[in-house]
Amino acid sequence: MSMNILAANLTALAGATLLALQPGEPDAVIQPAANAAGSACHIELADTADGLLVTAWGQGEAGSNYRMVVTQRMGGGGFDIVQEGDMPANGAGDALLSDILLDTEADFTARLSTWDASGEPLCNWNERV
């Protein structure tokens, strides 16, 4: 496992939001792709030089929250990376909720769920690679 991927996974496990940029793009800003079918949340996957970047996007108002669980499986075992918290209010647009860099040799699933301030589900999104 490369040091960048190990650092990304450790950062994710610590609950911090990780912003991964491509080498040579020091001022790059991650922007969402078109929101899939108008969903209140979605997950994007992007191959990078250092691994697979899993980015979670969502829409919400004050008090909304999210939970993303990435289950990574390799050889003889696996682990979950869980990131959760309050969704940043971003008007009508998507807000960056989480991004995690994964080893491309691993099998994984990513699940994103969002809830409004009263605890009612807003969105569920699943990706498997």
Side-chain angles (χ1 to χ4, degrees), residues 9 12 15 27 36-37 40 51 53 61 63 65 82 84-85 92 97 103 108 115:
N9 286 334
D27 297 323
L53 181 61
E61 299 174 357
N65 55 57
V82 179
E84 57 188 357
L97 302 177
D103 186 342
F108 80 93
W115 298 270

Side-chain angles (χ1 to χ4, degrees), residues 55-110:
T55 307
W57 299 94
Q59 298 175 3
E61 299 174 357
S64 301
N65 55 57
Y66 75 95
R67 177 180 175 95
M68 184 163 97
V69 179
V70 176
T71 302
Q72 187 170 345
R73 292 173 299 285
M74 297 181 71
F79 57 90
D80 287 343
I81 300 169
V82 179
Q83 293 184 333
E84 57 188 357
D86 295 333
M87 291 182 24
N90 201 27
D94 285 337
L96 174 65
L97 302 177
S98 172
D99 56 347
I100 300 171
L101 190 61
L102 299 174
D103 186 342
T104 56
E105 295 177 14
D107 179 34
F108 80 93
T109 56

Side-chain angles (χ1 to χ4, degrees), residues 5-62:
I5 293 171
L6 178 59
N9 286 334
L10 291 175
T11 301
L13 288 170
T17 300
L18 172 70
L19 179 62
L21 301 176
Q22 286 284 0
E25 298 179 24
D27 297 323
V29 176
I30 296 176
Q31 296 293 331
N35 192 340
S39 178
C41 69
H42 64 285
I43 295 173
E44 295 175 1
L45 306 174
D47 285 316
T48 71
D50 294 321
L52 182 67
L53 181 61
V54 180
T55 307
W57 299 94
Q59 298 175 3
E61 299 174 357

Side-chain angles (χ1 to χ4, degrees), residues 26 33 37 88 103 108 112 116-117 119 121 123:
D103 186 342
F108 80 93
L112 174 63
D116 66 15
C123 179

